[in-house]
Amino acid sequence: MSGVFSSFPYGAIYYAILDFDSCFLFWLKTTKNTTIQHISQKNILSVKMVYNDIPFDGIKLRENDKRRVAYFYDADVGNYAYGAGHAMKPHRIRMTHSLIMNYGLYKKMEIYRAKPATKQEMCQFHTDEYIDFLSRVTLDNVHQFAKETVKFNINDDCPVFDGLYEYCAISGGGSMEGAARLNRGKCDVAINYAGGLHHAKKSEASGFCYLNDIVLGIIELLRFHPRVLYIDIDVHHGDGVEEAFYTTDRVMTCSFHKYGEFFPGTGELRDVGVGKGKNYSVNVPLRDGIDDASYKNVFEPVIGKIMEWYQPSAVVLQCGGDSLSGDRLGCFNLSMQGHANCVNYVKSFGIPLMIVGGGGYTMRNVARTWCYETGILNNVLLDENLPYNDYFEYYGPDYKLDVRQSNMFNANSPKYLDNILINIFENLEHTKYAPSVQLNIVPNDKENLGDVEEDTAEALDTKGGSQYARDNIVETYNEY
Ligand code: MN
């Protein structure tokens, strides 16, 4: 029979009539339905969701994926206090450290106490007058600085407290030395939980942050790396870091945060950078109650695309713990595993990685999560039963290494997340061809004039030593 049809000279017309017929039937069918049904039918037929709603199935480590980890901790940091009743408690860093030690992770990584950042180092980003103010102001003399406290945004959120400047120097020193070790290829991962203070501005304190250790660390990385990716999973927008690199394509910033009537109020989808930096700032504005599955289904596609198209040679991951379920200030619903999945995913790319802390106001959960994540970075999944440690009583009544999701409502619908992904991918299209920069000579440190005498073991360890020593490193550093 088919032979008859194919030899029929008017076959084409016949098929055209058939086709017209099916169109007519389709038209009948769709006009009988309501407009809404018609639209949804059209969507199913022609628009596939970019957002893929896959359940969260926990964390899997790859075998033999051991990295050289350098962990920075200063035992003084837990002694600083913002003041009675303040949500930010540096003590959580000491709690984290005690857990890490008692899980035996010190056997797996190198532990350092960084040299506190100097004024000169701080002023690579901040203004001299702001840093000068931070170094001078105390609880006793603060009344003499009435004008400055307004100008530099010192208030109840960012109060003056005992040892404020030393606290900033410790936080900044860890991130700068971590970056320096990564630069010299001495480690694959550098960790500084005293850092991550992403709200601090060039000349202003903000949101519990005074010194932007992240910006200082990234500036250090930029001496060796053509492109640095900054990822921020704190529940708040990483505004200070975004602002610092808003006009450059050498740093891509990507922040996931609660947006809408929430501090600091910035970070909407359409804020993408300006000038050379256009499309090199990525913002993922989220609603209350995001859970492990939705977070992963947004985080992995966005970061995956950035890795593919931007091709960073170093990554800084801010691990703010206020995105965890049950945080005193946050409103997300991530479990410890959902949070740690971001660390595991970023680690899987095998790019030099700096891990910094950040927010996190339910101390026991922050300590649990950062300890668990330190395990992952050393390629171990820690036992769920907490070892005895200095703050064991904080972890009752269960004494487990776990933060669970609650039954709170997830206000992030698949449709909402789909729209975000579509927008972000559209913007990222413009970054497909990774920008390059010619790095002929590694710029000198401000205080390092390149004397070979400076190449003591300590100088090499903290700052990379002289220009001569660094030139030797550059020769063997053949990443690009
Ligand atoms: Mn964030």
Side-chain angles (χ1 to χ4, degrees):
M1 283 299 275
S2 63
V4 177
F5 278 111
S6 60
S7 63
F8 186 55
Y10 303 107
I13 295 165
Y14 186 77
Y15 285 123
I17 292 165
L18 263 182
D19 209 13
F20 179 79
D21 219 42
S22 64
C23 276
F24 181 70
L25 279 174
F26 182 75
W27 177 79
L28 263 183
K29 218 173 141 192
T30 50
T31 46
K32 264 202 257 171
N33 294 336
T34 65
T35 320
I36 292 164
Q37 277 171 319
H38 177 72
I39 289 166
S40 69
Q41 189 179 21
K42 192 180 141 207
N43 279 349
I44 290 161
L45 288 174
S46 61
V47 184
K48 198 180 169 290
M49 292 259 279
V50 172
Y51 175 79
N52 211 344
D53 206 3
I54 310 163
F56 181 71
D57 58 353
I59 291 189
K60 286 166 203 83
L61 297 181
R62 290 197 291 197
E63 265 179 74
N64 305 319
D65 207 13
K66 180 79 189 91
R67 303 291 155 86
R68 294 168 301 155
V69 180
Y71 167 86
F72 290 86
Y73 177 73
D74 189 314
D76 288 343
V77 78
N79 293 323
Y80 299 101
Y82 281 58
H86 199 289
M88 177 61 110
K89 298 186 189 311
H91 175 55
R92 72 214 165 107
I93 300 158
R94 181 160 54 194
M95 290 171 62
T96 306
H97 181 74
S98 181
L99 269 187
I100 286 173
M101 290 295 125
N102 284 289
Y103 264 112
L105 286 172
Y106 60 87
K107 294 174 206 154
K108 304 215 164 239
M109 55 188 188
E110 295 184 325
I111 295 173
Y112 299 96
R113 178 181 205 154
K115 202 164 63 64
T118 65
K119 255 191 196 184
Q120 242 174 342
E121 286 167 340
M122 296 177 184
C123 291
Q124 290 185 60
F125 172 55
H126 297 284
T127 61
D128 291 19
E129 55 164 357
Y130 175 53
I131 295 302
D132 198 51
F133 165 76
L134 288 182
S135 71
R136 283 168 197 267
V137 71
T138 65
L139 280 171
D140 293 329
N141 68 14
V142 63
H143 61 277
Q144 296 167 15
F145 290 98
K147 211 177 79 193
E148 285 84 354
T149 50
V150 175
K151 187 172 164 191
F152 300 131
N153 199 31
I154 299 300
N155 49 39
D156 287 352
D157 269 6
C158 301
V160 172
F161 57 83
D162 266 339
L164 166 61
Y165 180 75
E166 290 74 29
Y167 166 75
C168 291
I170 289 171
S171 156
S175 295
M176 290 198 69
E177 257 183 57
R181 281 200 88 75
L182 287 169
N183 276 347
R184 280 173 289 118
K186 296 271 177 145
C187 62
D188 307 308
V189 179
I191 302 174
N192 177 30
Y193 290 127
L197 303 174
H198 59 172
H199 296 305
K201 307 286 159 55
K202 179 174 179 170
S203 199
E204 197 180 295
S206 173
F208 317 159
C209 309
Y210 306 82
L211 184 82
N212 203 314
D213 63 286
I214 307 169
V215 172
L216 296 177
I218 292 175
I219 289 173
E220 182 66 29
L221 288 171
L222 287 174
R223 297 172 63 226
F224 282 70
H225 292 278
R227 290 177 304 282
V228 176
L229 169 63
Y230 170 70
I231 306 169
D232 185 316
I233 61 169
D234 192 286
V235 75
H236 300 100
H237 177 226
D239 56 346
V241 185
E242 180 184 276
E243 187 181 293
F245 302 111
Y246 208 57
T247 60
T248 178
D249 56 11
R250 288 197 60 198
V251 179
M252 182 177 277
T253 61
C254 179
S255 176
F256 300 77
H257 48 267
K258 151 84 177 175
Y259 182 78
E261 288 170 45
F262 200 68
F263 185 86
T266 47
E268 56 177 298
L269 195 53
R270 62 177 178 208
D271 295 340
V272 297
V274 298
K276 265 198 123 180
K278 190 171 178 201
N279 298 312
Y280 293 90
S281 292
V282 178
N283 281 296
V284 187
L286 301 166
R287 306 292 190 217
D288 286 6
I290 193 161
D291 58 20
D292 294 349
S294 331
Y295 203 94
K296 176 181 165 140
N297 295 333
V298 172
F299 185 85
E300 293 192 356
V302 168
I303 298 303
K305 263 286 166 270
I306 291 176
M307 292 292 189
E308 182 189 333
W309 285 347
Y310 185 64
Q311 296 183 14
S313 57
V315 180
V316 177
L317 174 57
Q318 196 266 19
C319 291
D322 45 10
S323 42
L324 289 164
S325 185
D327 186 78
R328 184 172 154 188
L329 300 185
C331 52
F332 283 177
N333 193 18
L334 293 183
S335 75
M336 180 181 77
Q337 302 230 350
H339 194 274
N341 180 64
C342 301
V343 175
N344 195 35
Y345 184 68
V346 171
K347 175 197 170 216
S348 73
F349 290 90
I351 300 169
L353 173 61
M354 167 114 96
I355 297 284
V356 291
Y361 308 100
T362 301
M363 288 198 292
R364 58 186 183 279
N365 290 343
V366 177
R368 282 169 162 131
T369 304
W370 288 352
C371 176
Y372 183 67
E373 290 170 348
T374 307
I376 287 175
L377 293 164
N378 286 289
N379 220 42
V380 284
L381 289 181
L382 298 174
D383 189 90
E384 64 161 0
N385 295 305
L386 291 176
Y388 187 75
N389 64 85
D390 297 345
Y391 309 99
F392 194 68
E393 70 277 10
Y394 285 55
Y395 302 100
D398 57 311
Y399 307 98
K400 299 279 188 212
L401 185 64
D402 195 16
V403 179
R404 268 172 275 174
Q405 293 191 105
S406 74
N407 61 357
M408 85 183 282
F409 177 69
N410 182 359
N412 303 271
S413 66
K415 189 79 207 113
Y416 175 75
L417 297 173
D418 189 52
N419 178 53
I420 285 179
L421 285 187
I422 289 168
N423 268 276
I424 289 174
F425 290 163
E426 254 174 45
N427 298 334
L428 283 177
E429 281 269 350
H430 303 284
T431 69
K432 255 183 185 173
Y433 309 99
S436 64
V437 56
Q438 205 167 7
L439 291 177
N440 287 326
I441 17 165
V442 176
N444 252 333
D445 271 335
K446 270 192 178 173
E447 55 189 84
N448 188 331
L449 302 173
D451 296 337
V452 180
E453 284 79 8
E454 281 190 300
D455 291 342
T456 57
E458 198 200 10
L460 277 167
D461 213 45
T462 53
K463 299 253 184 311
S466 69
Q467 183 61 56
Y468 172 80
R470 284 196 300 273
D471 284 344
N472 287 337
I473 295 158
V474 175
E475 270 181 26
T476 55
Y477 195 89
N478 50 8
E479 187 157 350
Y480 49 88

